[in-house]
Amino acid sequence: MFLKRAVLALQALLAATLLTGAAVAGPVVNSGHIESELVAQESGIAPGGTIYVALRQKIIPGWHTYWRNPGDAGEATKITWTLPQGWSAGDMVWPTPQKAKLGPLLDYAYEGEVIIPVPISAPAEAQVGTTISLNAAVQYLVCEQVCVPEDAKLTLLLPVVAGAAGADPKWGPVVADVLAKAPKPAGLKAVFKLDGASLKLAVTGGPLKGADMAGAYFFPYSPKVIEHAAEQVIDRGPEGLTLTLKPGYDFVGGGTPPAELQGVIATKAGAWEVTATAGDPPATAAGLGAPPAETAPASTSGGLLGALAFAFLGGLILNLMPCVFPVLSMKAASLAGHAHDAGKTRLQGLVFLLGVVATFLALAGLLLAVRAGGAAVGWGFQLQSPLVIAGLALLMLLVALNMSGVFEIGTSVQNVGSGASAQGGATGAFFTGALAVVVAAPCTAPFMAGALGYALTQPAIISLAVFLALALGFAAPFVAVAFIPGLLKLLPRPGAWMDVLKKGLAFPMYGAALWLVWVFAQQSGPLSLAHLLAAGVLAAFGAWLYGLGQERRASGKPALVSILVALVSLGLAFTIATFGALHAAPPTAAAAGAEAPTGPGLAAEVWSPEKVAELQAAGRPVLVDFTAAWCVTCQVNEKVALSGSKVAEAFKAQNAVYLKADWTNRDPVIAKALADFNRVGVPLYVVYPKNGGQPVILPQLLTEGLVIEAIEKAGQ
């Protein structure tokens, strides 16, 4: 039936073309956020002639598509033509874009309606009186707070006429106006020069003489030559202007500095294409100063500086997230041990900082390398590996046993009471910082998500700078306490109480080990879990034997056999755990099916992009929970905000659906969905209104009231 209707529609269009002798556009395609069609400047084309055929797109309010250089993020619109033999399509003529600011990012975009002309040429042997079909497959990214890739297949029927055809009565003047205003060469002379931390671009020539330079802006064709979000400072001259830009990756990030700087210089008087070569800016391009409204210095709130500030703040807040609680005990015990020795305390603070920074940068570098290899992974990827989880679980168990006094590292058992303050030296502080990052970093804190999203769209050197700011924020509280004598003096003097405190603080570490075992069970299935539990028993046995050997050696008795058997037990434990992790058999999402509620709360269904589209088409509100078993914040939110009867009643009243996207194991589809929301980690909570409006992102820390309010709004 559909094919029959399509044939009839095509026949009707062809008949209309033959009767009127005018170009006829195919049906307007609505891809969800955009209506697209092909329109022609001329009503026909002569053999050997060239006319402009334009892609016309009407974008829904609040959303935008992208210019040829999308800026900090996004993707340019692409057109793939299918033309008859001998016909050809030229380059797209891009209208001057708008600047779209989103947090620390700046994009070059189109809003409302955009018309992009393309020259179409007919061969000299084209037959007069025939009608040809121009077919275009268009791909584009349309964005608001989130981005959605869409596409459209468009058609235009164009008659071949004997002479010059007249302008299309409807679209001819519109396309002509777009072509007249589009940036084009105008004989401008442009030079650029890297001047310290600034990039000077000087442009002089006819159209700029005496023109109004207020709001002048340079849109580069390459995404790597400038920092897009940084302000462009204007200095006017009698023959033109000089823009002070912030150089990008190609100049200062390890890229290859270009021989030419190409782009569009846009002013109130118009926009022109420029190609700048290296050289000294002429005196006639500067000297009159900037317009009054632009005398302020370049902004430092956006771009890289904004991302660094957000990352530092996110790192500070990360210390308050539930992910970090298991390792707070290690920090507390380490700090208490040297509270009244300023020198050792400061050393611990600095070494702890070094451990945090080194681990953050190592994880960031590995993440960037894996993503550069084409894998769809995000922040927290290390805990998507059963092998890493198994190793951390055994490590946490051994740390807890050490804090409980089963065995000692760095001192003998007989000196535990009097020498507790000697525990946790520089090596321990470094280890504490590294372990805190490995366990805590997978959860994202407020401000942290946006900064990481920005970092992963930038060159490697900028990405690592953002991760460094995150590490400094994360380590700042512990380092500050280590360097503030007034805070340290509040702690009691060293004594036997410190041994009691250390043993008491071992229990959160036992809890962390159990949590990791639970995560491993979600990833690997029951058989692999049995391997890990057996490995845990062997590791505990080995730790006990090692402690027994330490006691015998301290009392002058032979201890070699005990220590050797302990080491063999520990080695065997890690071998068994490794075997179980490598032979993990996690259940698939399809096998898992819908998840029943554990109490009066919500029943979760398995997420997929197709499921969301199906529910939206049915007019039902949707809450998507991007979660993972290794994300403690996710689990806390589920128990606190998503398990109550009131939330379940609100969902039932609004006919809403709760979908869970479980990222416990690596899943490229979920990773792509997170990237579409400019996120690289979990938790992420997205509410889709029933009327098909734009999705709403909820905060990373939920309450019952917040969830109920969001679902009720989505159901209106």
Side-chain angles (χ1 to χ4, degrees):
M1 180 62 71
F2 174 79
L3 181 60
K4 183 177 180 181
R5 289 178 179 176
V7 171
L8 290 174
L10 184 59
Q11 289 174 342
L13 287 172
L14 182 58
T17 302
L18 294 174
L19 289 172
T20 63
V24 177
V28 175
V29 175
N30 188 332
S31 56
H33 299 86
I34 292 179
E35 293 180 355
S36 302
E37 64 178 329
L38 293 179
V39 298
Q41 182 185 13
E42 306 288 339
S43 59
I45 187 171
T50 297
I51 68 168
Y52 280 94
V53 174
L55 167 66
R56 174 184 174 267
Q57 292 187 310
K58 184 178 180 181
I59 309 165
I60 65 173
W63 292 70
H64 59 265
T65 58
Y66 292 94
W67 188 54
R68 57 182 293 176
N69 168 19
D72 284 321
E75 186 174 351
T77 298
K78 298 180 178 66
I79 304 177
T80 302
W81 293 92
T82 301
L83 304 173
Q85 182 71 28
W87 292 69
S88 62
D91 295 332
M92 300 164 67
V93 179
W94 297 89
T96 305
Q98 304 172 29
K99 292 179 286 184
K101 195 81 161 61
L102 180 62
L105 306 181
L106 180 68
D107 298 333
Y108 303 142
Y110 298 117
E111 297 178 351
E113 182 183 66
V114 59
I115 294 177
I116 304 177
V118 178
I120 300 293
S121 298
E125 60 271 16
Q127 294 183 1
V128 175
T130 60
T131 297
I132 58 97
S133 176
L134 306 178
N135 301 292
V138 186
Q139 295 177 313
Y140 44 89
L141 192 67
V142 55
C143 299
E144 194 252 0
Q145 294 295 326
V146 298
C147 290
V148 181
E150 295 182 352
D151 58 78
K153 293 186 177 180
L154 308 176
T155 300
L156 179 74
L157 298 179
L158 187 67
V160 180
V161 296
D168 184 272
K170 180 178 180 181
W171 295 109
V174 176
V175 176
D177 183 63
V178 171
L179 289 169
K181 294 179 179 178
K184 55 184 64 68
L188 296 174
K189 182 179 179 181
V191 296
F192 70 90
K193 181 179 182 180
L194 187 63
D195 185 11
S198 299
L199 180 65
K200 302 287 187 180
L201 173 64
V203 186
T204 55
L208 298 182
K209 293 180 180 180
D212 185 356
M213 302 298 178
Y217 193 88
F218 175 66
F219 295 94
Y221 288 159
S222 169
K224 297 182 179 181
V225 292
I226 67 169
E227 289 288 340
H228 304 290
E231 185 174 337
Q232 299 186 6
V233 180
I234 304 168
D235 190 4
R236 297 175 298 172
E239 299 289 333
L241 79 165
T242 298
L243 291 175
T244 300
L245 314 173
K246 188 172 183 180
Y249 175 77
D250 282 348
F251 285 102
V252 297
T256 303
E260 295 181 334
L261 198 60
Q262 296 180 309
V264 170
I265 185 75
T267 70
K268 290 183 178 180
W272 302 275
E273 290 184 328
V274 295
T275 299
T277 56
D280 292 320
T284 55
L288 299 182
E294 299 179 283
T295 54
S299 170
T300 59
S301 60
L304 177 59
L305 291 179
L308 293 175
F310 281 156
F312 185 84
L313 187 57
L316 283 174
I317 300 176
L318 189 60
N319 284 277
L320 304 177
M321 305 301 284
C323 309
V324 187
F325 291 168
V327 294
L328 289 179
S329 57
M330 296 180 67
K331 290 185 182 182
S334 178
L335 182 62
H338 298 291
H340 296 277
D341 188 331
K344 290 184 177 180
T345 301
R346 291 172 181 172
L347 176 62
Q348 281 218 356
L350 291 175
V351 177
F352 173 81
L353 172 64
L354 181 61
V356 168
V357 169
T359 310
F360 254 114
L361 293 183
L363 288 176
L366 182 58
L367 172 62
L368 294 174
V370 172
R371 287 174 67 93
V377 298
W379 190 239
F381 70 98
Q382 66 272 22
L383 294 190
Q384 291 176 323
S385 166
L387 187 61
V388 173
I389 291 290
L392 283 175
L394 294 180
L395 186 60
M396 290 288 188
L397 175 62
L398 292 175
V399 168
L401 291 171
N402 173 251
M403 296 178 72
S404 294
V406 174
F407 70 102
E408 298 296 328
I409 295 178
T411 187
S412 61
V413 175
Q414 66 186 16
N415 291 328
V416 169
S418 61
S421 62
Q423 299 300 304
T427 302
F430 184 92
F431 170 81
T432 303
L435 191 60
V437 172
V438 172
V439 177
C443 287
T444 55
F447 300 102
M448 179 177 164
L452 293 183
Y454 171 84
L456 294 181
T457 65
Q458 301 302 305
I461 188 67
I462 297 178
S463 299
L464 292 177
V466 174
F467 282 106
L468 176 60
L470 183 63
L472 294 176
F474 183 68
F478 185 77
V479 175
V481 170
F483 278 80
I484 300 177
L487 294 177
L488 296 175
K489 290 179 180 179
L490 297 177
L491 293 176
R493 289 286 174 182
W497 67 271
M498 298 183 66
D499 184 49
V500 176
L501 174 65
K502 188 182 75 166
K503 291 180 178 178
L505 292 177
F507 289 94
M509 302 307 295
Y510 287 117
L514 288 175
W515 165 62
L516 288 166
V517 169
W518 175 77
V519 172
F520 184 84
Q522 309 303 307
Q523 293 177 323
S524 306
L527 185 58
S528 293
L529 175 61
H531 283 87
L532 182 58
L533 293 175
V537 173
L538 272 174
F541 177 68
W544 173 74
L545 279 179
Y546 190 82
L548 186 64
Q550 287 182 315
E551 288 183 342
R552 291 179 61 84
R553 186 168 56 187
S555 61
K557 298 178 182 179
L560 181 61
V561 174
S562 296
I563 292 177
L564 286 177
V565 174
L567 295 177
V568 170
S569 298
L570 291 170
L572 186 59
F574 279 93
T575 301
I576 293 175
T578 300
F579 179 83
L582 294 178
H583 292 79
T588 63
E595 179 181 311
T598 56
L602 297 172
E605 298 182 32
V606 177
W607 169 89
S608 70
E610 295 77 16
K611 185 68 172 179
V612 173
E614 174 189 336
L615 292 170
Q616 282 192 293
R620 301 183 67 181
V622 181
L623 169 62
V624 180
D625 176 5
F626 291 90
T627 184
W630 38 261
C631 172
V632 180
T633 305
C634 304
Q635 306 307 317
V636 171
N637 282 335
E638 185 172 333
K639 298 302 180 186
V640 171
L642 297 171
S643 299
S645 58
K646 292 182 179 179
V647 174
E649 291 170 2
F651 269 73
K652 183 177 180 181
Q654 301 298 332
N655 195 26
V657 181
Y658 174 43
L659 301 181
K660 182 177 287 189
D662 192 343
W663 207 34
T664 302
N665 291 296
R666 186 168 299 170
D667 187 326
V669 178
I670 294 179
K672 182 183 182 305
L674 290 170
D676 288 340
F677 287 100
N678 199 28
R679 296 291 191 272
V680 292
V682 291
L684 174 65
Y685 304 98
V686 183
V687 176
Y688 294 85
K690 75 172 186 179
N691 59 8
Q694 61 184 18
V696 176
I697 299 178
L698 301 184
Q700 291 170 314
L701 296 178
L702 299 180
T703 64
E704 271 195 352
L706 191 152
V707 174
I708 292 172
E709 180 183 359
I711 289 300
E712 289 178 344
K713 286 183 178 179
Q716 294 174 358

